[in-house]
Amino acid sequence: MAVSGFEGFEKRLELHFSGDDRKNVGSSFGLGLRLLDFETLQHVLHAVQCTVVSAVANHYFDAYVLSESSLFVYPTKIIIKTCGTTQLLKSVPPLLRHASLDLGLTLVFCRYTRGNFIFPNAQPFPYTNFQNEVVYLEESLPDSLCYRKANVMPSKTPSHAWHVFSASTENTTCPFGEDDSDGGLFTLEICMTELDRDLARNFFLRPGTEYDGDSAGKEMTALTGISGINPRALICDFAFDPCGYSMNGIYGNRHSTIHVTPEDGYSYASFECVGSVYDDRDDVVRVLKKVVQIFRPATMSVSTTCASHEVWMRVAGALEPLGLKCRSCSVDEFPASGNVVYQTFVDRRSKKNNNNTPVQNCHKVVDANAHIGLEKN
């Protein structure tokens, strides 16, 4: 492992709002948060220490590729995902201020998640310690979000753990979501380390060739097979110099995103997507198979956020036939998030992972409440 390098593991923030103006958020044509102008978004991202490099939109939401990951803006929901040493939580105060003063919107839900940093000592305060992050968030949120919970979901893989903070105005486990009144939507957040070296080279610019980020990104998307993960999605992609790649996919009201740090010694890739429990059962299997084929990681973690227990079982069923054995599986329940199931997998072919450590039954979860946590209501 390198002593120092670029931090691939992202911090992810999701904020949901509500409002009384039906012209803004209460109808199918309501724009809500999408009315925030680009200058305002730039101001928010400046505090986070990143910028917009590319963008795309449809009828439902706007998607921005950032210099460090992604931003998604829905009428009543914002998702910001940033890597490196960015100051993600500094986006909360200006976002709440602009949503309230400019649009009359009120925050009703917040969720913050991240994995284990590869270079934790390089992170600025408060990201050096999850407890500090929780305190920072709690001080930034209004008192109306009184149902709060934080937990670190561990695994038997030392490099992976899942940090979750959730806060809501309502004492419910039903997830907030865009057009998700039936509670059927789920979110997969996948973190992969130790990528196959040959496959990781696909995310380096070829020496001596002049590219701009957009055209190089499109070439990487086609070359690696990323375009085949969801062929129906509109893709906005970008390649960085000398290496690295980001992509946002939009399909209807669902987003997907990929970010790649391909350097040997600290290679990392993430994949996030939204699906529904009412989709074809084979969709999750097909998507996960393609993701594994593109990166072939030695270690992989999957966080599934959903009101249903059905999806995470599909995850295990999809990955185990691909040569990935389950090392650990835990579950916890968070306010207005439903269940979070955290599973870790290792490549059976890897000599590093070929030991006598017992394999966790990924069809049986372990309650994560027994581990480090903070709860307030």
Side-chain angles (χ1 to χ4, degrees):
M1 183 66 68
V3 174
S4 182
F6 186 80
E7 180 60 65
F9 273 93
E10 301 97 346
K11 314 169 184 88
R12 182 186 187 276
L13 179 70
E14 180 172 338
L15 302 173
H16 291 245
F17 297 81
S18 67
D20 296 328
D21 189 345
R22 290 189 58 82
K23 288 186 290 185
N24 277 345
V25 298
S27 70
S28 60
F29 300 101
L31 293 175
L33 293 164
R34 300 177 72 184
L35 292 172
L36 293 174
D37 59 38
F38 187 66
E39 183 179 350
T40 297
L41 293 178
Q42 284 183 309
H43 170 72
V44 173
L45 294 174
H46 178 74
V48 177
Q49 299 175 359
C50 61
T51 58
V52 173
V53 298
S54 192
V56 71
N58 66 6
H59 176 74
Y60 296 95
F61 67 101
D62 308 317
Y64 301 87
V65 175
L66 306 179
S67 54
E68 281 83 9
S69 301
S70 293
L71 164 67
F72 301 99
V73 183
Y74 290 78
T76 59
K77 175 174 68 177
I78 282 185
I79 298 170
I80 312 181
K81 192 170 186 175
T82 63
C83 54
T85 56
T86 48
Q87 297 266 13
L88 176 60
L89 298 183
K90 285 189 176 181
S91 66
V92 175
L95 281 174
L96 299 191
R97 183 172 62 253
H98 286 296
S100 176
L101 297 180
D102 300 344
L103 304 173
L105 299 177
T106 302
L107 184 69
V108 294
F109 172 71
C110 168
R111 179 165 65 236
Y112 173 69
T113 57
R114 69 167 174 85
N116 268 2
F117 296 125
I118 299 174
F119 306 107
N121 294 333
Q123 291 294 319
F125 180 86
Y127 312 98
T128 51
N129 181 283
F130 185 56
Q131 189 72 25
N132 292 335
E133 294 166 273
V134 171
V135 171
Y136 188 98
L137 261 174
E138 292 205 314
E139 291 176 349
S140 302
L141 297 177
D143 293 338
S144 57
L145 275 71
C146 57
Y147 300 99
R148 305 179 179 186
K149 182 175 180 178
N151 196 6
V152 179
M153 303 178 72
S155 76
K156 294 179 181 177
T157 305
S159 60
H160 287 259
W162 197 239
H163 305 66
V164 185
F165 171 84
S166 182
S168 172
T169 57
E170 299 180 14
N171 185 18
T172 177
T173 58
C174 295
F176 281 102
E178 295 285 324
D179 300 321
D180 188 26
S181 58
D182 58 8
L185 292 185
F186 64 83
T187 301
L188 293 181
E189 296 173 70
I190 299 174
C191 301
M192 297 167 279
T193 53
E194 300 174 80
L195 311 181
D196 179 273
R197 290 183 180 181
D198 291 333
L199 296 176
R201 291 193 187 101
N202 292 328
F203 299 97
F204 283 79
L205 295 181
R206 291 198 300 269
T209 305
E210 291 189 7
Y211 281 103
D212 62 62
D214 292 311
S215 61
K218 287 179 174 54
E219 182 175 299
M220 289 181 183
T221 299
L223 174 67
T224 59
I226 287 174
S227 57
I229 294 176
N230 182 358
R232 300 167 295 179
L234 175 62
I235 290 178
C236 180
D237 37 24
F238 194 88
F240 297 90
D241 187 6
C243 64
Y245 169 89
S246 288
M247 161 277 210
N248 291 333
I250 63 175
Y251 177 66
N253 65 344
R254 303 179 190 180
H255 71 269
S256 61
T257 186
I258 291 175
H259 303 285
V260 186
T261 302
E263 292 95 328
D264 192 30
Y266 50 95
S267 61
Y268 170 85
S270 67
F271 173 75
E272 175 181 329
C273 70
V274 175
S276 170
V277 296
Y278 304 112
D279 292 342
D280 189 318
R281 291 179 58 89
D282 292 334
D283 282 356
V284 169
V285 175
R286 179 183 54 78
V287 166
L288 289 173
K289 181 178 180 180
K290 286 187 175 292
V291 170
V292 171
Q293 289 173 338
I294 291 167
F295 298 107
R296 295 217 174 272
T299 307
M300 181 175 184
S301 69
V302 183
S303 170
T304 306
T305 303
C306 185
S308 168
H309 285 278
E310 186 177 355
V311 181
W312 64 266
M313 297 185 70
R314 299 183 198 174
V315 170
L319 294 179
E320 288 170 345
L322 300 177
L324 291 163
K325 65 179 180 180
C326 185
R327 288 289 299 275
S328 59
C329 183
S330 59
V331 65
D332 202 354
E333 195 173 66
F334 293 86
S337 297
N339 296 304
V340 176
V341 178
Y342 182 62
Q343 300 161 282
T344 58
F345 300 84
V346 295
D347 188 349
R348 296 179 186 273
R349 296 163 296 184
S350 172
K351 291 182 180 179
K352 180 178 178 180
N353 295 324
N354 188 16
N355 54 38
N356 295 321
T357 304
V359 177
Q360 173 75 36
N361 178 3
C362 266
H363 301 282
K364 179 180 180 182
V365 295
V366 177
D367 190 347
N369 280 311
H371 301 280
I372 301 171
L374 171 68
E375 194 164 358
K376 175 182 177 181
N377 53 39

